[in-house]
Amino acid sequence: MKEPDDQDTDGGKSDRSKSDERQSRSFKSATRSAMKEDYKSLEDTTDETFTEGEESYSGDNDSYMEHLERSSSSLQDDYAESTGESQYMETPVPAAEEAEEEVKKKISESFFYNYMELVSMPFVTPDSNIPLDLLTLVHSFGYDCRKRANLQLLDSNTVMYIAGNQLILLNLKTKEQTYLRSSSGRGIGVIGVHPYKTCFTVAEKGVFPKIIIYEYPSLRPYRILQDGTELAYAYVDFNYDGTLLASVGGNPDHTLTIWNWKEEQPLLRTKAFSQEVFKVTFNPENDEQLTTSGSGHIKFWEMALTFTGLKLQGFLGRFGKTATTDIEGYMELPDGKVLSGSEWGNMLLWEGGHIKIELCRAAGKPCHQGPINQIMLDEGEVITIGSDGCVRIWDLETIDTADTTDETGLLEIEPINELQVDKSVRLFSMIKMNETGNNFWLAQDTSGGIWKLDLSFSNITQDPECLFSFHSGAIEALAVSPLTYLMATTGLDCSVRLYDFSSKTPLLQTKFKQGGTALIWVPRLVSYTGGQIIVGFEDGVVRILDLYDPKGLTIFVGRKRILDADIRLKKAFKPHTAPVTALAYDRDGEILATGSKDKTVFFFEVEKDYKPIGYITTPGPVCQLIGSATSHPESTLLIICENGYVLEAPFPTVKEEEEDHDVVSYEIKDMCIKCFHFSSVKSKILRLIEIEKRKKRKELKEKEKEERRKKLAEEMGEDGERELHREEEEEEEEPLPEIFIPLTPCHILCGFYSGPGKFWVSLGGYDSGFLYHCEFPPYDRNSDITAKKDEPFDFRLVEDTEDNPIRTITFSITQDMMFCGMQNGAIRVYILSHDDLSLTHMEEYWHFNMHDNDYGCVKSLSTSFDDRFLVTAGADSNIFVFSILSEFELKKGMKAKVPSPRFGIESEPIPEDIDDPKAYSIENARRKREHDKLMKEVEEIKAGKREQIKALRNELWKLLQMNEELPKHMQFKRTDFDLDSKIRAEIDRKTANKIHQVEKELAWEKEKHHLGLMKLQNRFRDSLESDTIVVHAIQSDHKISSYRLVKPSKYTKSKRASQSERRPSKFERFEKEGTGRKESQKDTGGSTSVPEESIIEKGKKFRPKTLSEIMVENQIEKTRKLILKAERAQLKLQQRKKEWEELHLLL
């Protein structure tokens, strides 16, 4: 492990740093309360109340919100000016005081802080002999690939990234690591690099965390910025020339701060947004403009000089018709526009706070399949990277001049070039390497890799190269070889990896279709060479893997490059239907036990190629299995369930006889299992502790009273006694804490055997803060384990673990050290007496935060085979290797010995793997086999009965045929063949009863469906006068259909005219009056007289026609015209035919 030089180059500087720290502490203590009140009131008045989905506002609301934002920054700056933090507001201060303030504020260019005074150190119990360097970090095999901007380049050979509470500087050529620890001990939020690569920032997490700026390459702390946020920093960014630094905080405040970092002074400060903010950047062309983006928003900021000073004014981007989206990647264009990504993969061009246009590819395809995580401008080209693993290059001028052509607001463009890194790659960020003549980039892959990409797009472009590969996401299990310095890990990223931590080298990785959830190294009793591991997966499959050195195999011609280690599947079986959570061998190595979340524990016989023995059911999901030690009189298995149950089961005896094929299930029902159902006693413990405290306090008070009584008796006599008695009466004791038992049992996190029938457990939730010592009650076959409640008989207080329980525990080989992995990612080591599993001397401990405090709980930890090293794995993807108080150092040429391959392993057939997650488990496969066997037997019986019935039927037909051949007076009647008429009547009666029973059972369903049918008919059919009827032609494709007509309402029916009163149509009038009527009207000048009363009556009867009536009348009119036309044509044909006949007669 490398640490920066901790020597102070200037003694005066360290004194200066101490005095500055004292001044800053006194200043903060005087102003922090006021600051909190101001910020609280500020948030109340300026909380922008923007929520997801609020995309459009009226103009009044816009101006109102802008007024609020400006007032918020003004209020904050007024506060800064009142506390003397602003450089832009002059105050009437005497010249002497001004000069003194300048001397105080001005920091020397050559001033540095002392690294060792800043960094967090391990906590050691006071007055103990535990050294601070009990554990020393040797190497880190992990990488938090899902952390935002967690890959930064310092020079062409050095990158840095965050690993829990460490900042790791990695040399790309030598693979050497240098570590910087966090100062708060609460983790690191984000890192950033100065544009000139002369320094870098480490923005931390904690209560009012610091931003520490380190000089590079000396790694000395150069400046410290304080009080920029409440709990954690989310992002930092330098301006183009590196004179200013912008930082934005995470939950709950999301504070945006502009710093004059060289003077350690905040210039401007405001609340960035009410939801999570991902990123903040300066505009490269204008330092007075900034952009922030995050959950469902993007915001544009300007530094404006107002009559009260310099202010930050923010303008929220309006999505308008576009759906609201989280914005991860964006960039500022030279002309002030902003180009951002979206969750669905298109690019959004912003201008004036609104979306000018949305950019997509041809045919409406998105620019990326998934979110766009970063957008950059390089050499006049726009580069976008997405979660689809693609890097695409776009023309800047096309994007900058893009404008909408239709109402959709979409513009289709195509990339100039593109690079598909890999189908499984999920790119998150990229940084350009400073290599002249090359266009190499380093890419952060959320699937667990660091890639080197060549974006030159020429004939000599190199293929993407994966420089480093890590776990992605939580590491679920870890195991160490019992013979050498080898370590195996697995996680939900579906990979199993092997490391040599003596040479600090990852050896191999292999991928499966499901994530790994449990892992153990096979003990030497089973595999003497230590070359096997067993891995449990989330689909319930257990795989046995052989690890070996492929150099020991027979070499074939044309073979590829030989690796240092290889892995091969030996056997795969599926005992469970849910994730496998625990694996354990018995102490003799004869039986393997597997536990799962499906509430079962399965046993396998090791010698017979892991032949299944059987399984037992548990009252809860299994979280841990522990075999008893050789010191125990019997070989038992400790089964710890999540929901508060702990079982002790003997390992089943191995039967010599062959498999019993008649057994339907593998379940073992006659096993004597002891059960302990944990009942919360924490409230009782707290009450006992309070009673002890009060007892001691009372004893001290009694001594003080006795002394005071003697003194008052000497001075005042009897008056002193009365006064003392009056004081005693006035004292009242507070009530003791109430007994509380949580309704939902707290989860058991881990445990271990302390002796035969005794064990320790650590719980989460309300019961955290203690280790509980429990003992199994005697076995009782008739007891109900769900109803019983058992209490521990002893406990140990674990300091500072009220909200930070112990997640995993392991011991050194000599059992004089207990290593604990904590919920917040810390490592705690208790120093015990030799073989003191009762923890009688569990007092002194060493504690240090290593993994991420928010999401880096320690999932697994283990010591090496010789107790020289400790290895930890966390949910933050980090793996740390520590040396344990040893002078033994890892030499550069040192390597762990990989086991040699078994004889003939290359000729062994590859066993069949279980790839289908829906495959049957061992128990389900057996039940299915037994069910199929039973069904086969039933079918055979049915077939036999059918054959008998068929034979009897044939015999009956023969008899009937013989009967017909006899003379009629000798023939039997058909009823004579019935042996007993009552049999048929009984069959009919039973059939009728069965039908009646079925009708009764289905009566409710029948009525339900009948009512549903009636409702549908009333709603959709009864309201129709006529439904659609389609008539198709037989010899052609023609068809004619009627209309779906709705019945008229009752009101319309009552007012509707009768057929006699209906106004005749034009055709009817023509038929009735004839042509002579028209001619007479023409002769008389066409004048007609209509009585006035008839017009009034017709007007009264007139009503507006409905659309359906008009359509029906039109259809009728058309039909009648067609009929009339057809009759005329027919008449014309008959007339012509008659004429032809007359002509024919004349001829």
Side-chain angles (χ1 to χ4, degrees):
M1 170 182 175
K2 276 194 170 183
E3 294 284 357
D5 188 8
D6 57 352
Q7 294 182 356
D8 195 358
T9 57
D10 187 357
K13 292 174 189 173
S14 62
D15 295 338
R16 170 64 186 275
S17 67
K18 291 176 183 177
S19 64
D20 284 350
E21 287 177 359
R22 283 195 295 270
Q23 291 174 6
S24 64
R25 287 195 196 100
S26 62
F27 174 76
K28 278 187 275 182
S29 62
T31 61
R32 185 160 292 173
S33 59
M35 175 187 273
K36 286 183 178 177
E37 291 178 4
D38 282 355
Y39 267 110
K40 193 172 182 181
S41 62
L42 185 64
E43 289 176 10
D44 292 339
T45 56
T46 62
D47 191 6
E48 295 153 344
T49 64
F50 294 134
T51 58
E52 276 188 64
E54 291 183 37
E55 296 150 7
S56 59
Y57 301 89
S58 63
D60 295 337
N61 288 340
D62 291 348
S63 60
Y64 175 67
M65 296 311 296
E66 291 171 9
H67 170 71
L68 276 182
E69 290 171 357
R70 291 169 185 164
S71 64
S72 70
S73 57
S74 302
L75 284 171
Q76 293 176 15
D77 287 343
D78 292 342
Y79 165 74
E81 291 158 11
S82 66
T83 55
E85 292 184 3
S86 176
Q87 296 181 351
Y88 298 90
M89 187 67 181
E90 296 183 1
T91 54
V93 182
E97 291 183 13
E98 274 189 3
E100 188 177 348
E101 282 187 7
E102 283 296 321
V103 170
K104 285 183 181 178
K105 288 184 179 179
K106 190 67 177 176
I107 301 177
S108 172
E109 290 285 338
S110 60
F111 172 73
F112 291 91
Y113 291 92
N114 189 339
Y115 172 77
M116 296 307 294
E117 292 179 359
L118 285 176
V119 297
S120 59
M121 301 297 288
F123 172 82
V124 176
T125 305
D127 302 326
S128 65
N129 297 323
I130 304 175
L132 284 175
D133 59 348
L134 177 66
L135 296 182
T136 305
L137 181 61
V138 174
H139 194 74
S140 171
F141 285 107
Y143 172 55
D144 193 352
C145 59
R146 299 180 182 179
K147 196 178 187 70
R148 192 169 285 109
N150 197 24
L151 183 65
Q152 300 292 338
L153 187 69
L154 292 173
D155 56 42
S156 58
N157 294 323
T158 308
V159 296
M160 69 173 181
Y161 55 87
I162 302 167
N165 273 267
Q166 314 287 323
L167 179 67
I168 298 181
L169 281 72
L170 174 64
N171 190 303
L172 296 176
K173 288 185 177 180
T174 63
K175 307 294 189 293
E176 190 176 356
Q177 295 180 351
T178 304
Y179 311 107
L180 292 174
R181 297 198 296 270
S182 70
S183 65
S184 63
R186 299 290 300 275
I188 300 173
V190 69
I191 52 178
V193 180
H194 193 274
Y196 302 147
K197 313 293 185 184
T198 56
C199 59
F200 58 88
T201 64
V202 179
E204 303 200 349
K205 297 192 289 187
V207 180
F208 290 98
K210 301 174 182 176
I211 298 178
I212 302 177
I213 301 172
Y214 291 87
E215 187 192 45
Y216 185 76
S218 68
L219 304 184
R220 291 184 296 172
Y222 185 51
R223 294 292 183 267
I224 299 177
L225 311 179
Q226 304 188 56
D227 296 330
T229 189
E230 288 187 24
L231 293 179
Y233 286 98
Y235 206 86
V236 292
D237 183 57
F238 285 97
N239 64 342
Y240 183 75
D241 56 4
T243 57
L244 299 176
L245 177 70
S247 69
V248 65
N251 286 324
D253 57 316
H254 308 296
T255 302
L256 172 63
T257 310
I258 311 299
W259 303 86
N260 179 0
W261 62 271
K262 287 191 176 180
E263 299 299 328
E264 300 182 353
Q265 291 295 323
L267 302 180
L268 298 168
R269 181 177 294 159
T270 187
K271 185 180 179 70
F273 199 62
S274 57
Q275 298 179 30
E276 186 179 3
V277 181
F278 300 155
K279 194 174 179 181
V280 58
T281 55
F282 283 96
N283 188 334
E285 305 294 331
N286 187 354
D287 292 344
E288 295 180 357
Q289 294 180 354
L290 298 95
T291 307
T292 59
S293 71
S295 177
H297 79 282
I298 185 170
K299 203 167 184 181
F300 312 103
W301 300 86
E302 288 184 359
M303 299 183 197
L305 189 61
T306 65
F307 65 94
T308 56
L310 194 64
K311 309 296 176 188
L312 264 177
Q313 295 179 347
F315 304 92
L316 190 66
R318 311 294 181 188
F319 285 94
K321 296 180 180 179
T322 307
T324 304
T325 174
D326 296 347
I327 295 180
E328 188 73 51
Y330 66 85
M331 61 164 283
E332 297 87 354
L333 299 179
D335 59 354
K337 298 188 188 76
V338 174
L339 181 67
S340 77
S342 63
E343 291 180 88
W344 55 86
N346 282 348
M347 291 186 287
L348 308 176
L349 185 63
W350 298 82
E351 185 177 22
H354 294 79
I355 296 177
K356 180 182 178 183
I357 197 167
E358 182 176 348
L359 303 173
C360 64
R361 300 182 69 182
K365 289 172 57 180
C367 300
H368 285 269
Q369 296 294 329
I372 298 176
N373 293 323
Q374 191 176 6
I375 304 178
M376 297 160 291
L377 183 63
D378 182 65
E379 298 178 358
E381 295 175 335
V382 176
I383 303 175
T384 61
I385 67 170
S387 296
D388 56 356
C390 288
V391 181
R392 292 192 169 96
I393 315 297
W394 312 81
D395 181 54
L396 173 61
E397 186 177 353
T398 305
I399 293 174
D400 196 19
T401 58
D403 202 355
T404 182
T405 56
D406 53 19
E407 294 181 357
T408 62
L410 292 172
L411 179 66
E412 296 179 354
I413 60 173
E414 286 298 315
I416 302 171
N417 287 301
E418 65 177 324
L419 172 66
Q420 173 77 47
V421 180
D422 194 76
K423 290 183 178 180
S424 62
V425 169
R426 302 287 180 267
L427 296 178
F428 199 28
S429 68
M430 284 200 321
I431 49 174
K432 190 172 184 179
M433 301 182 70
N434 300 323
E435 292 188 12
T436 55
N438 294 318
N439 193 12
F440 291 138
W441 295 70
L442 290 177
Q444 174 184 345
D445 174 17
T446 56
S447 297
I450 296 177
W451 291 78
K452 184 179 180 181
L453 308 178
D454 185 0
L455 300 185
S456 59
F457 297 104
S458 63
N459 295 330
I460 57 173
T461 298
Q462 300 179 16
D463 292 333
E465 178 186 0
C466 184
L467 300 179
F468 302 95
S469 180
F470 307 92
H471 275 290
S472 174
I475 300 169
E476 294 294 323
L478 173 149
V480 176
S481 168
L483 285 176
T484 184
Y485 299 119
L486 290 178
M487 167 182 63
T489 60
T490 187
L492 296 179
D493 60 349
C494 307
S495 68
V496 176
R497 299 170 187 260
L498 185 69
Y499 302 91
D500 174 7
F501 56 87
S502 62
S503 63
K504 306 175 183 178
T505 308
L507 295 178
L508 65 90
Q509 63 165 320
T510 182
K511 286 273 188 178
F512 295 93
K513 291 190 176 180
Q514 297 294 325
T517 52
L519 185 148
I520 61 167
W521 210 289
V522 176
R524 293 192 66 190
L525 288 170
V526 180
S527 174
Y528 183 75
T529 60
Q532 284 184 1
I533 60 173
I534 299 183
V535 187
F537 292 84
E538 59 183 344
D539 59 349
V541 175
V542 175
R543 291 180 175 90
I544 303 172
L545 305 175
D546 277 327
L547 307 175
Y548 60 90
D549 186 355
K551 299 184 184 69
L553 298 175
T554 305
I555 299 175
F556 298 96
V557 177
R559 191 166 178 174
K560 295 181 180 179
R561 183 174 66 89
I562 300 176
L563 302 174
D564 293 331
D566 203 355
I567 198 167
R568 178 187 173 95
L569 178 67
K570 182 183 179 184
K571 188 176 179 63
F573 46 90
K574 186 175 182 179
H576 302 287
T577 58
V580 180
T581 54
L583 302 163
Y585 278 91
D586 72 330
R587 61 189 181 187
D588 299 323
E590 296 178 352
I591 297 174
L592 170 69
T594 65
S596 170
K597 286 188 176 180
D598 64 358
K599 302 181 182 181
T600 60
V601 175
F602 224 110
F603 299 96
F604 299 88
E605 188 176 353
V606 175
E607 288 186 1
K608 294 186 178 179
D609 196 22
Y610 293 91
K611 173 187 170 184
I613 299 173
Y615 74 92
I616 59 173
T617 58
T618 61
V622 179
C623 66
Q624 193 175 4
L625 297 177
I626 305 163
S628 60
T630 54
S631 59
H632 291 209
E634 296 179 356
S635 179
T636 56
L637 180 68
L638 185 68
I639 305 169
I640 299 177
C641 303
E642 287 182 2
N643 59 347
Y645 289 93
V646 183
L647 310 178
E648 185 180 47
F651 280 95
T653 55
V654 179
K655 297 180 181 180
E656 296 295 333
E657 61 268 15
E658 293 296 323
E659 182 180 359
D660 189 0
H661 294 281
D662 297 331
V663 179
V664 178
S665 173
Y666 281 104
E667 186 174 3
I668 305 171
K669 296 183 178 180
D670 57 349
M671 186 176 286
C672 300
I673 302 174
K674 296 179 181 179
C675 178
F676 185 94
H677 188 190
F678 187 89
S679 179
S680 177
V681 294
K682 183 176 179 179
S683 59
K684 297 180 181 179
I685 294 172
L686 295 176
R687 179 183 278 246
L688 289 174
I689 292 173
E690 183 64 26
I691 291 171
E692 288 294 324
K693 286 181 179 178
R694 292 187 182 186
K695 186 178 178 181
K696 291 180 180 179
R697 203 182 303 126
K698 192 173 182 180
E699 289 176 357
L700 289 174
K701 284 184 178 180
E702 288 293 334
K703 288 182 180 179
E704 291 176 0
K705 286 178 183 178
E706 188 65 31
E707 292 175 0
R708 192 176 176 190
R709 185 181 290 109
K710 289 179 182 179
K711 188 180 284 186
L712 289 172
E714 291 175 0
E715 294 177 358
M716 302 175 64
E718 293 182 0
D719 295 336
E721 289 286 342
R722 291 195 203 97
E723 186 177 347
L724 191 64
H725 184 67
R726 196 181 304 115
E727 290 178 1
E728 289 178 358
E729 290 178 352
E730 292 175 358
E731 292 181 2
E732 292 183 4
E733 285 191 357
E734 295 181 1
L736 290 169
E738 295 181 359
I739 300 298
F740 171 75
I741 297 177
L743 297 176
T744 304
C746 298
H747 282 193
I748 300 179
L749 302 178
C750 63
F752 59 92
Y753 264 123
S754 61
K758 298 180 181 179
F759 58 94
W760 289 92
V761 288
S762 170
L763 284 87
Y766 172 76
D767 289 312
S768 62
F770 296 89
L771 283 177
Y772 300 96
H773 203 183
C774 310
E775 185 174 10
F776 286 107
Y779 173 69
D780 184 5
R781 182 186 294 272
N782 299 322
S783 65
D784 183 9
I785 61 175
T786 59
K788 61 186 294 188
K789 298 287 184 181
D790 302 305
E791 294 184 355
F793 67 90
D794 197 6
F795 64 90
R796 293 289 180 272
L797 174 66
V798 185
E799 294 182 6
D800 300 325
T801 59
E802 187 69 25
D803 300 319
N804 180 31
I806 298 174
R807 290 299 302 261
T808 180
I809 296 175
T810 190
F811 291 87
S812 60
I813 296 173
T814 57
Q815 295 185 347
D816 56 356
M817 284 190 286
M818 183 174 76
F819 301 94
C820 306
M822 313 302 290
Q823 174 74 35
N824 69 344
I827 300 168
R828 183 174 290 195
V829 185
Y830 282 95
I831 307 300
L832 308 174
S833 301
H834 183 65
D835 286 337
D836 181 23
L837 292 179
S838 296
L839 308 182
T840 53
H841 300 287
M842 181 184 155
E843 295 175 359
E844 300 177 351
Y845 66 90
W846 181 96
H847 183 99
F848 196 30
N849 291 327
M850 286 302 302
H851 294 269
D852 191 273
N853 294 64
D854 295 329
Y855 55 88
C857 71
V858 180
K859 289 279 190 176
S860 181
L861 73 169
S862 180
T863 58
S864 63
F865 71 98
D866 56 0
D867 267 355
R868 286 177 171 173
F869 299 97
L870 175 73
V871 185
T872 67
D876 58 352
S877 308
N878 286 311
I879 304 170
F880 295 120
V881 181
F882 303 89
S883 63
I884 306 173
L885 195 60
S886 174
E887 297 179 358
F888 176 78
E889 294 183 1
L890 295 174
K891 298 177 182 178
K892 286 188 177 180
M894 186 176 178
K895 283 188 176 181
K897 186 181 184 311
V898 181
S900 300
R902 296 194 323 273
F903 178 74
I905 190 173
E906 63 269 23
S907 60
E908 291 180 1
I910 299 175
E912 184 180 356
D913 200 357
I914 303 173
D915 294 329
D916 185 8
K918 297 181 180 178
Y920 287 113
S921 65
I922 294 173
E923 172 66 12
N924 289 344
R926 181 167 221 180
R927 290 185 178 181
K928 177 73 166 54
R929 186 170 64 247
E930 292 299 325
H931 179 267
D932 292 344
K933 181 180 176 182
L934 180 62
M935 294 304 295
K936 185 178 179 181
E937 292 176 356
V938 170
E939 289 297 328
E940 289 176 355
I941 293 171
K942 286 181 179 179
K945 294 291 183 184
R946 290 191 186 102
E947 289 295 327
Q948 292 179 6
I949 293 170
K950 185 178 180 181
L952 291 172
R953 185 181 288 115
N954 291 335
E955 188 177 352
L956 175 64
W957 282 114
K958 287 179 181 178
L959 290 172
L960 292 174
Q961 191 175 0
M962 290 172 62
N963 185 50
E964 290 179 357
E965 293 175 356
L966 292 173
K968 283 191 176 181
H969 66 280
M970 298 179 64
Q971 290 181 2
F972 289 97
K973 295 180 181 179
R974 185 68 180 84
T975 55
D976 295 337
F977 285 92
D978 292 338
L979 297 179
D980 189 355
S981 59
K982 294 180 180 179
I983 295 176
R984 188 176 297 277
E986 182 67 18
I987 292 173
D988 293 340
R989 188 182 64 80
K990 287 183 178 179
T991 304
N993 287 338
K994 288 181 180 179
I995 294 171
H996 181 65
Q997 185 66 26
V998 171
E999 287 178 349
K1000 285 173 66 178
E1001 290 176 358
L1002 299 177
W1004 190 88
E1005 287 288 331
K1006 177 184 175 183
E1007 186 65 21
K1008 175 188 172 184
H1009 291 296
H1010 177 70
L1011 289 175
L1013 179 62
M1014 295 303 297
K1015 287 180 180 179
L1016 290 173
Q1017 186 172 344
N1018 292 337
R1019 175 68 179 83
F1020 296 104
R1021 295 299 302 272
D1022 293 350
S1023 61
L1024 297 179
E1025 186 171 347
S1026 63
D1027 204 349
T1028 304
I1029 300 173
V1030 182
V1031 180
H1032 294 268
I1034 297 174
Q1035 296 182 355
S1036 66
D1037 295 334
H1038 296 89
K1039 62 181 179 180
I1040 185 170
S1041 65
S1042 64
Y1043 292 99
R1044 183 189 291 265
L1045 300 177
V1046 181
K1047 286 182 180 179
S1049 64
K1050 295 179 181 178
Y1051 176 79
T1052 309
K1053 269 187 177 178
S1054 62
K1055 295 294 182 180
R1056 192 171 180 178
S1058 64
Q1059 186 70 21
S1060 59
E1061 295 175 348
R1062 186 174 61 84
R1063 184 181 178 183
S1065 65
K1066 185 178 179 182
F1067 180 77
E1068 290 173 344
R1069 291 198 305 271
F1070 176 79
E1071 289 289 333
K1072 188 176 181 180
E1073 297 175 357
T1075 56
R1077 173 79 173 171
K1078 289 186 178 181
E1079 291 175 357
S1080 64
Q1081 286 181 2
K1082 286 180 182 178
D1083 295 339
T1084 59
S1087 62
T1088 58
S1089 61
V1090 181
E1092 187 176 352
E1093 292 180 1
S1094 64
I1095 295 173
I1096 296 171
E1097 289 175 0
K1098 288 181 179 180
K1100 287 180 180 179
K1101 294 178 181 179
F1102 176 79
R1103 62 174 180 80
K1105 294 183 179 180
T1106 62
L1107 180 62
S1108 60
E1109 289 175 349
I1110 295 171
M1111 293 175 68
V1112 169
E1113 288 179 0
N1114 291 340
Q1115 190 70 20
I1116 292 171
E1117 191 70 24
K1118 287 180 182 178
T1119 307
R1120 286 178 177 174
K1121 286 181 179 180
L1122 289 172
I1123 292 170
L1124 183 62
K1125 189 176 180 180
E1127 288 177 351
R1128 288 175 180 172
Q1130 186 71 20
L1131 184 63
K1132 192 174 182 181
L1133 286 172
Q1134 289 177 0
Q1135 189 177 358
R1136 183 64 57 87
K1137 187 177 179 182
K1138 189 176 181 181
E1139 291 177 355
W1140 277 107
E1141 286 177 354
E1142 291 176 355
L1143 183 63
H1144 182 68
L1145 290 172
L1146 291 173
L1147 293 174

